[in-house]
Amino acid sequence: MTTSSSVAESVLAPVDPELAEFDRYVETAREHIYTRVQPMPLESLDSWYTDPDTGWIRHRSGKFFSIEGLRFTVSDGPVPEWCQPIINQPEIGILGVLVKEFDGVVHCLLQLKAEPGNRGGLQLSPTVQATRSNYTGAHGGGAVPLLEYFRDAPAHRVLADVRQSEQGASFLRKRNRNMIVATADDVPDRDGFRWLTVPQVLRLLRRDDLVNMDTRTVLSLLPFAAAALRRRNGGRAEAWTRTLLRSCDRAASSVHPDRELQAWVTDVRTRTDVSATPVSMASLHGWQRADGTIRHETRRFFDVIGVGVESAGREVARWTQPMLTAGEDGVLGWLVRRIDGVLHALVRMRVEPGLVDVAEIAPTVQCIPGNYAHLPPAAHPPFLDEVLNARPERVLFDTMLSDEGGRFYGISNRHLIVETDAVHNHPDYRWVSVGQLVDLLRHSHYLNVQARSLLVCLYGLLLDPADG
Amino acid sequence: MTTSSSVAESVLAPVDPELAEFDRYVETAREHIYTRVQPMPLESLDSWYTDPDTGWIRHRSGKFFSIEGLRFTVSDGPVPEWCQPIINQPEIGILGVLVKEFDGVVHCLLQLKAEPGNRGGLQLSPTVQATRSNYTGAHGGGAVPLLEYFRDAPAHRVLADVRQSEQGASFLRKRNRNMIVATADDVPDRDGFRWLTVPQVLRLLRRDDLVNMDTRTVLSLLPFAAAALRRRNGGRAEAWTRTLLRSCDRAASSVHPDRELQAWVTDVRTRTDVSATPVSMASLHGWQRADGTIRHETRRFFDVIGVGVESAGREVARWTQPMLTAGEDGVLGWLVRRIDGVLHALVRMRVEPGLVDVAEIAPTVQCIPGNYAHLPPAAHPPFLDEVLNARPERVLFDTMLSDEGGRFYGISNRHLIVETDAVHNHPDYRWVSVGQLVDLLRHSHYLNVQARSLLVCLYGLLLDPADG
């Protein structure tokens, strides 16, 4: 188990020379892989129109996604009803990472992409990041490179393949297939694609806004890939495989046995009545369309804006689209505690309007702090202050990491993992061991995307710094 | 592992004296727990009406359930589109079995009930079998006895609690909470309620139409209850607990590793586009309302009929309701095979219109044979002939077991478990170990109700006959 001092050591350790080479590559790539993004009024978007009856924003092809209005009611929450715009994209896309051994060391093939919403320009995407519209050619661009490795993978090469949710506050029932596939092929070099070792990727997670959301959600499945690789290799394992498997062992003791966790999930999902009703934009209480955007009258939550994009290094050179943006960064915070030597994280079941099954397991803290600034302290999210004001030596991880840059414009969340000794008996929260969280990830729709994003940051801490 | 000869021995063994006492109790109970059911036209039902616009049948209170019309399309199946009536009851009810140790032996509290659709009159129901309408008093009757054990159970007494689907061909998105809860209370005797040991219940499963569908789906969770009981008792376990846990061990080897099964589930659920559109009864192609019923012009599938019920031993004495009935019994068949000493069952992912998530794992055979009699042999369900024509010594289980008698009138399925040595490489089927099936049952919506019903029959075979 990593201690805060061993984390500190690893930060003080000399930078991995492999990353110096990667850094030089990125600087060169910036010259020919980039986007130039120009905000523009929603009314001026090519190929997109506002439906006169509903006020919803749709693509003229009927494909891609639409921005719709939603009235959401929840029987058992602090806010029983609200209205909001939401992205509807009823397709299950593929987020896939290809892995391959070079000299007995597993590497992941990641792609430097310049999505229009990326903070910092280039971010590391999965090998394949494809909506169905993408890979059936609806965008008029070329085929998605390397997609065949994921669409037609033989069973024994698929190390992980499970549908997981996207942001339930912004997407209506959106899921993606998260896949890790192994290959032994000679995959030809392609501009922007780089093979990186797992410790390298986990080290890069400590850089602000570099490893993108899609990569993080896929790599939250790394323990399954590790287990599968060890089996494929007849038990032989790299150091990172052993460390990750040992740390995520579900047989380790836990505060709550699995059946108690399952009963908790069942209880919340059964007890909470939710309804999501499509409504016109004009009837969204508190929201207004003005100045070419859709925004809340308080300027909280998010805005829907239009952008024009000019892109190099991508399959399509110019397009326009709506995006979501926010005026302030969010906070995703995890309190973690060692209980009988086993690392546990404090989680809750969080109801969100776009989730397919009522609620999913969420981090200790998931919010935009400014949305609560006007409320009395008692109405602030639980544990927010503890996470933000932790003593530096208890902060195990603190990095800004972006939401996916194809739909979210410059939205980034501070990812904070804070160790605590406090017991925190809160009726809506549970201490769950890392092994239990990993085991639930084998199945769809238990951990929300924010929890998965923090989980992969935790893997980075669990690895012996010597591996990096 | 049980062999067919050991099963034969157990059948030849003297009948358990405890069951003789139970049998006498049942015969006495028949005199005061019964229903008298009179078929009647749908038009004559009290409190139910046919909506003039849609032709749907609803209760005047707006509660209970309705019979609606559905057009169902599926992108990847042998029949790409069809219409049918379906039961809509958008509530998550509770099916709960209370367990308690007497002299160190776990007993389950089951209830002899006379549901109107029961073949054979009395069947063994769970301790509690309550829709939300039931337990919120919408039916005007008394409170559901013993419900408090399930609604307010402390976490450490809940041995299993997971939502599972009902029949996806007849119910629209219907789920129930399946619960096993332990108590140490002195539960007062009540008319019709009996404490039975697990081996007794599993033995009673070999009687036609006695253990009802709801009891079977709850008791499919027995391995989790067994594991939880062993932990509660500091590792001490009854013989049935040890046998069940050993036989269902998920660590046993399996043909497909877990990740391959998960990838298969993900692939079917992602690849198959389904849509379920509500439509009026009048536009249901092939269906007609005539003679006070709704039925298919070929008389296949099922009929919607009306019944008047007079009941003794229940909370309400007289009522009318619509029910589903079928002219012919169904077949639920499982081919099982021992692979490297581990019992595997041949399953498929079956798309059904009422499932919440596209498809669930179903038995090898699940059909009403007569529905295929008019089709050429190539269009018959795979493996039906093999299951029906197996040599007697390969038939491990062969019993008629009823669908739930509150909605289904006299519908029963022949439950057949047949051992085979054939490999059967069929692209739509997989051999899955019993341990893997049990492990998936920890989570919602993997095994359909037919598979769960056969699984509990399999537990009966796995138990050492000496336990019974």
Side-chain angles (χ1 to χ4, degrees), chain B residues 352-374:
Chain B
E352 293 181 315
L355 297 178
V356 295
D357 198 6
V358 184
E360 296 185 4
I361 291 173
T364 321
V365 172
Q366 173 185 332
C367 71
I368 298 178
N371 290 349
Y372 301 86
H374 63 299

Side-chain angles (χ1 to χ4, degrees), chain A residues 155, chain B residues 254-261 344 429-433 436:
Chain B
S254 56
V255 172
H256 302 284
D258 290 350
R259 72 189 158 85
E260 278 190 25
L261 286 188
H344 286 63
Y429 290 74
R430 296 287 183 284
W431 288 106
V432 179
S433 75
Q436 287 178 312

Side-chain angles (χ1 to χ4, degrees), chain B residues 344-355:
Chain B
H344 286 63
L346 189 62
V347 300
R348 60 178 297 201
M349 285 288 287
R350 183 181 172 94
V351 178
E352 293 181 315
L355 297 178

Side-chain angles (χ1 to χ4, degrees), chain A residues 297-308:
Chain A
E297 58 192 11
T298 62
R299 305 308 310 273
R300 285 196 287 271
F301 311 113
F302 57 80
D303 299 352
V304 183
I305 62 169
V307 297

